[in-house]
Amino acid sequence: MTIKDIARECGCGLGTVSRVLNNHPDVSDQMRERVLAVVHKYGFVSNQSAKLLRSQDNKTIAILMKGTSSILLNSLVERIQKRMERLPYTTNVVVLDEYDNEAKQAYQVCQRHRPLGLIFAGGNPDFYKEDFANIRTPCVIITNQANDVQSSSLSSVSTDDIAAAQCMAEHLVANGHRNIGIIGGDLASSELSQRRYKGFLSVLQKHGIPFDPERQYAVSKYSLGDGANAAQQLVYANPDMSAIFTMSDVMAIGAIRRLTDLGRSVPGDISVTGFDGLDIANFLCPRLTTIRQLLDELAERGLDALLDNIERGKPCSHQLVPFEFVAGESVCKRS
């Protein structure tokens, strides 16, 4: 499978495929989805994406983006690339599936092309600790923590996920909600989902509110479709719930659509909250109550941490970035 094969199957030009693979914004959403579907179908991204990176003059910084359709990470990568336009480096973006091992992909990139640095947009360092330990190239993971990874090369910059989930839980409890469902990632493989789950449950436990994972937790990818299916699962398993905490805005958007299809009004029947603060959430009806991650600050701090390591030889750092609570309109008070 080559870029030519992908272009032929998608009915588009080589330039269009290249722009999609390099996360260029000048591609329609429909065509981007078509190209990524073919890429994922033939395993081109997970098995051969490193071939897209050119070593050139060793001024390349590789960006590995986790999630083939992540609106949040696409926005993050755009901010990183914008900041790098004024720097003497080139960037190449590799798009990975949500469940790919980004550390193994990064190791292949380093072995074949020796980039100057690596930026992981999303990722799961806790799950791939041993693989990250094999990487010697300076790197930073943005939107997840890597404090526990024994690596002298890996920095991390992340939102305080535990505190943010606690903030949202307190908001729902303050509005009288006691039977709350959660839509989140696979807790066995997603360390980020584990932190948000831990933070949310700590508030329920503090207030003496019971939680049954069998009925009240639905596993979902961070996508619209999975969010919709998870909402339906929760409604069938726990029809009396009054609110749903989702671990991403796209999950929340999908959930609201499915709840509406099932005849449940939001927030009249069921309140729904998100996590990320995507711009699109402001245009929902109702506007989404969510946690806004500060993408500009995440991008700036992440890039600074990487360049401090590359240019000034500073040790790796692990930073937590503040978040903002957005009240929105998707939560109502229960009497």
Side-chain angles (χ1 to χ4, degrees), residues 14-66:
L14 293 176
T16 300
V17 176
S18 178
R19 286 195 295 274
V20 172
L21 293 174
N22 286 283
N23 198 41
H24 195 285
D26 190 23
V27 182
S28 71
D29 291 341
Q30 184 177 7
M31 180 56 69
R32 188 182 302 276
E33 290 179 4
R34 186 185 306 171
V35 170
L36 289 176
V38 173
V39 162
H40 184 60
K41 174 182 176 182
Y42 292 104
F44 183 85
V45 169
S46 59
N47 296 325
Q48 301 183 48
S49 55
K51 294 180 182 179
L52 299 174
L53 299 175
R54 301 184 295 272
S55 57
Q56 296 179 342
D57 57 356
N58 200 31
K59 287 291 186 179
T60 298
I61 292 178
I63 303 175
L64 284 76
M65 187 177 77
K66 197 73 179 286

Side-chain angles (χ1 to χ4, degrees), residues 247-324:
M247 294 189 188
S248 76
D249 286 354
V250 292
M251 289 175 177
I253 294 168
I256 290 173
R257 176 68 263 173
R258 185 59 55 83
L259 290 171
T260 301
D261 292 341
L262 293 173
R264 306 293 183 96
S265 67
V266 177
D269 295 323
I270 300 178
S271 295
V272 177
T273 69
F275 199 116
D276 286 337
L278 301 178
D279 290 340
I280 193 174
N282 291 320
F283 295 91
L284 288 177
C285 188
R287 289 188 178 89
L288 187 62
T289 298
T290 188
I291 296 293
R292 178 178 290 124
Q293 299 201 65
L294 306 183
L295 293 184
D296 286 325
E297 188 166 353
L298 286 165
E300 183 173 353
R301 287 205 201 180
L303 189 54
D304 284 348
L306 180 64
L307 296 181
D308 277 345
N309 192 306
I310 293 173
E311 298 177 349
R312 291 171 280 279
K314 290 188 177 181
C316 293
S317 62
H318 302 285
Q319 307 172 50
L320 290 179
V321 172
F323 58 87
E324 293 179 354

Side-chain angles (χ1 to χ4, degrees), residues 166-224:
Q166 289 173 332
C167 174
M168 189 59 78
E170 290 285 8
H171 179 69
L172 289 173
V173 171
N175 278 277
H177 297 279
R178 297 295 181 271
N179 188 345
I180 304 170
I182 298 178
I183 296 176
D186 182 3
L187 297 177
S189 62
S190 173
E191 195 255 351
L192 180 145
S193 298
Q194 292 171 15
R195 286 200 304 276
R196 294 179 185 177
Y197 183 66
K198 176 182 177 181
F200 198 88
L201 253 61
S202 69
V203 171
L204 298 186
Q205 291 167 357
K206 183 180 77 171
H207 291 280
I209 299 173
F211 185 86
D212 178 6
E214 293 288 329
R215 297 187 308 112
Q216 293 174 257
Y217 191 91
V219 176
S220 169
K221 278 191 172 184
Y222 285 70
S223 69
L224 295 165

Side-chain angles (χ1 to χ4, degrees), residues 145 156-161 301 318-322:
Q145 299 176 28
S156 64
V157 180
S158 173
T159 299
D160 190 338
D161 293 297
R301 287 205 201 180
H318 302 285
Q319 307 172 50
L320 290 179
V321 172

